[in-house]
Amino acid sequence: MYLLGLDIGTSSIKASVVDAVTQKRIATAQYPEEEAEIKSLKPGWAEQSPEGWWNHVIKAISKVTAEKGFNPDDISAIGIAYQMHGLVLVDKDQNVLRDSIIWCDSRAVKLGDQAFNAIGQGHCLQSMLNSPGNFTASKLAWVKQNEPECYQKIYKVMLPGDFIAMKLTGTITTSVAALSEGVFWDFQKDELSTELMDYYGFDENLIPEIKPLFSVHGALTDEVATLLGLKAGIPVAYKSGDQPNNALSLNVLKPGEVASTAGTSGVIYGVSEDLTYDSQSRVNTFAHVTYSSKKKHTGVLLCINGTGSMYRWAKHNFAPQLSYNALNELAATAPIGSKGLKVLPFGNGAERMLNNRYTGGQLLGIDLNLHTQSDIFRAVQEGIAFSFRYGLDIMRENGMQPKVIRAGMANLFLSELFTQTFVDVTGIPVELYENDGSVGAALGAGIGAGIYNSPEEAFTKHELIRYVEPQNTEAYEPIYAQWKELLDKAL
């Protein structure tokens, strides 16, 4: 019995097949090999084609099912993880009306701020746990205001994972967790926020049927099954935003447990049993995968837009011929502090933790007679680690006091230098595991299809790979203070 997990990322689509009994990945593939395009028609804009995601899903599944060692007919359930906060719009025939306005797009910030003040900051924070900001609801308001002909054609509003599930099954559903990510949800009333819907003038019919996150959201159609080389009728039994799903993949289910990722964006995500919020909405709170009306588990999320994207930019512009492994080895030859070179990695849209300000990415303190490639790449990794520390301090202000952080062996956490720097700068040990988002999505499907009786049962064979403890915290404290001073000036 196998489970198929799809991770609909910004850079690529990853597909993994997991053995339901051993809970281990037996095959994996991604498409494209290079980072997918992000369209930026104006400064601060970021869009991707939903049909492009679907084409990449087809190719990723084709690659993974071509691997020997398992029979695709034995796949029993499909799970989907997806980039959060994106806006996907379809008409009655399930045709896409425009490119998706994705998570790092900043165009709706002003509309979200206006809604925050008009609805009432206190109400937004206490009921929705967030400012509307540049989340999905505000992106929809932007379309309503600026593209009225498109808006009039909308049948349903979806997040990226809802769209992929629709392509697989022909059925359109969503979940409380997805609606909370879009800041459509009232946590106090446990229903759609009538205040937000009324303020923006949204018809509730635009919202798909709401189903439990762990449940059957539709079954693979005959046509799509033939296209993918799978059997018809496989249930899509799980859909989750990438960060709650990453927490699931790391068995971060209980209040007080904390996960982190460092892919295109960087995230620290902690589980809480309270409806907590940051008074400035610098960190955000959404429904966790284990959220219910009786057990209101929430995920407190710190997001940094420019982590892996900053490292990718540096690679493409300073050493495009080198692999990421070679870059990591090169960066490790530079000393702590990168000989005074500093990087602010905030060049991928307005940063929520910076009060929706945009500083742009910055490389500071260049000495033309001193600095080399190794210093640049170490400074980039250190700057990203410093941005995590900055955000973690905000989470600490809001009562999140992690003793250990769990992360998957993926993306920047594949770099021993970055991992050690992250631990040294934050002062918190890190546990590294093999699981990633696609594996978490597969195991989530097993929960939703009833193959596992609970989330805990899906992780009975969860194994620690490495435990990394702080070594250079004292050395980094003054360097971090200098970096923070530069950020304060930039703000």
Side-chain angles (χ1 to χ4, degrees), residues 214-234:
F214 296 110
S215 69
V216 175
H217 293 266
L220 202 62
T221 64
D222 292 344
E223 180 182 356
V224 173
T226 300
L227 175 67
L228 298 177
L230 301 174
K231 65 182 180 183
I234 301 173

Side-chain angles (χ1 to χ4, degrees), residues 8 111 198 289 292 310 351 439 455 464:
I8 315 303
L111 286 173
D198 290 346
V289 295
S292 69
M310 181 72 208
E351 295 282 357
V439 173
L464 176 68

Side-chain angles (χ1 to χ4, degrees), residues 4 6 8 13-15 29-32 50-66 164 167-168 223-230:
L4 174 61
L6 302 173
I8 315 303
I13 307 299
K14 192 168 188 178
Q30 72 176 50
Y31 193 90
E51 290 294 349
W53 299 333
W54 175 237
N55 289 331
H56 294 165
V57 165
I58 294 169
K59 291 175 180 176
I61 291 176
S62 297
K63 285 177 69 176
V64 80
T65 55
I164 296 300
K167 296 295 285 187
L168 291 167
E223 180 182 356
V224 173
T226 300
L227 175 67
L228 298 177
L230 301 174

Side-chain angles (χ1 to χ4, degrees), residues 93-108:
D93 296 319
Q94 299 188 356
N95 296 312
V96 175
L97 292 171
R98 70 172 329 279
D99 281 344
S100 173
I101 303 175
I102 66 171
W103 57 275
C104 54
D105 187 287
S106 303
R107 77 186 71 181

Side-chain angles (χ1 to χ4, degrees), residues 57-103:
V57 165
I58 294 169
K59 291 175 180 176
I61 291 176
S62 297
K63 285 177 69 176
V64 80
T65 55
E67 295 191 22
K68 297 179 181 179
F70 75 98
N71 185 348
D73 287 344
D74 292 330
I75 292 174
S76 299
I78 299 172
I80 301 170
Y82 58 87
Q83 49 172 294
M84 297 168 71
H85 318 307
L87 174 71
V88 183
L89 306 173
V90 297
D91 65 17
K92 288 186 177 180
D93 296 319
Q94 299 188 356
N95 296 312
V96 175
L97 292 171
R98 70 172 329 279
D99 281 344
S100 173
I101 303 175
I102 66 171
W103 57 275

Side-chain angles (χ1 to χ4, degrees), residues 418-433:
F418 174 78
T419 303
Q420 189 63 59
T421 304
F422 177 96
V423 170
D424 290 342
V425 170
T426 61
I428 300 174
V430 163
E431 295 178 351
L432 291 173
Y433 295 85

Side-chain angles (χ1 to χ4, degrees), residues 268 302 304 307 336-338 340-346 353-354 378-393 418 421-426 472-473 475-487:
I268 298 178
L302 158 77
I304 306 155
T307 52
I336 288 176
S338 308
L341 201 60
K342 300 286 192 301
V343 167
L344 301 181
F346 304 121
M353 75 172 186
L354 303 181
R378 180 163 192 139
V380 171
Q381 294 202 23
E382 288 180 336
I384 294 167
F386 292 151
S387 67
F388 272 104
R389 161 68 185 276
Y390 185 91
L392 182 61
D393 285 348
F418 174 78
T421 304
F422 177 96
V423 170
D424 290 342
V425 170
T426 61
N472 305 296
T473 299
Y476 268 116
E477 275 301 312
I479 301 170
Y480 171 71
Q482 295 165 7
W483 179 90
K484 186 172 180 296
E485 184 177 349
L486 290 171
L487 175 59

